[in-house]
Amino acid sequence: MPVEDVTKMAMPVLPEGLMIRQVRQVNPKAAAMQTRVEGTVYRVVVEWDEDAEEVESRVEEALSTEELIHERRGKRYNLRPLIEDLQVIGEDEEKVMLRMQLAARPGATGRPEAVLDVLGMGSAFARYYRERLILTAETDDR
């Protein structure tokens, strides 16, 4: 099937709000897509009653340190190297919006809920929106 036809066929059946930005042909012998993910960008909307300046202060403090110890499944690890970018991007009526770029490495993947935990916001209700996957360059594995 021509690549151009994939978008035309998929558009009428996509859920509202979902868009196709790019379709391209991949080598069927190339590494599986999930093995090529090296990072993810999230937008997180947190129901939080502190103003954005306080949250920005927490973000700055987290980014200025070399260690942010977090525990997952009984194991402690340093979350800080997995946070590649973290910003407060807005606030609206007791909600704060964050954008975070988190690394995915073999044996270590940054999770947005862990970032909220180290910011002291882990108990808040949050909505997580995955905006983008960052992939390693595709190689010709023929």
Side-chain angles (χ1 to χ4, degrees):
M1 171 185 305
V3 172
E4 302 80 33
D5 292 348
V6 172
T7 301
K8 289 178 190 170
M9 291 178 64
M11 289 302 288
V13 296
L14 289 176
E16 186 177 331
L18 186 63
M19 300 179 343
I20 296 176
R21 291 188 178 200
Q22 182 183 41
V23 175
R24 63 187 176 117
Q25 191 167 351
V26 296
N27 178 352
K29 294 181 182 179
M33 180 93 48
Q34 62 268 31
T35 65
R36 295 182 42 224
V37 175
E38 61 181 34
T40 307
V41 176
Y42 294 94
R43 180 172 42 92
V44 182
V45 179
V46 186
E47 291 187 8
W48 196 250
D49 57 3
E50 290 180 10
D51 61 24
E53 288 90 25
E54 176 61 32
V55 178
E56 285 174 4
S57 175
R58 291 172 187 227
V59 166
E60 287 173 17
E61 186 178 331
L63 292 176
S64 69
T65 186
E66 291 185 22
E67 267 194 347
L68 289 172
I69 302 303
H70 189 260
E71 187 171 317
R72 177 169 162 80
R73 296 183 182 162
K75 293 184 180 181
R76 292 171 49 89
Y77 66 99
N78 184 6
L79 177 64
R80 179 60 188 96
L82 301 175
I83 303 173
E84 295 177 341
D85 190 31
L86 178 59
Q87 305 169 27
V88 176
I89 58 172
E91 68 176 316
D92 181 29
E93 297 182 24
E94 297 188 4
K95 292 181 184 172
V96 175
M97 195 177 328
L98 302 167
R99 177 162 288 120
M100 50 185 83
Q101 181 174 322
L102 306 176
R105 299 187 180 115
T109 299
R111 300 179 183 280
E113 58 274 13
V115 174
L116 291 185
D117 280 347
V118 298
L119 292 176
M121 302 169 74
S123 63
F125 179 77
R127 288 188 176 89
Y128 303 93
Y129 301 92
R130 185 172 59 193
E131 293 186 328
R132 191 173 82 140
L133 293 175
I134 301 164
L135 306 176
T136 58
E138 193 171 355
T139 58
D140 190 3
D141 294 321
R142 291 181 193 187

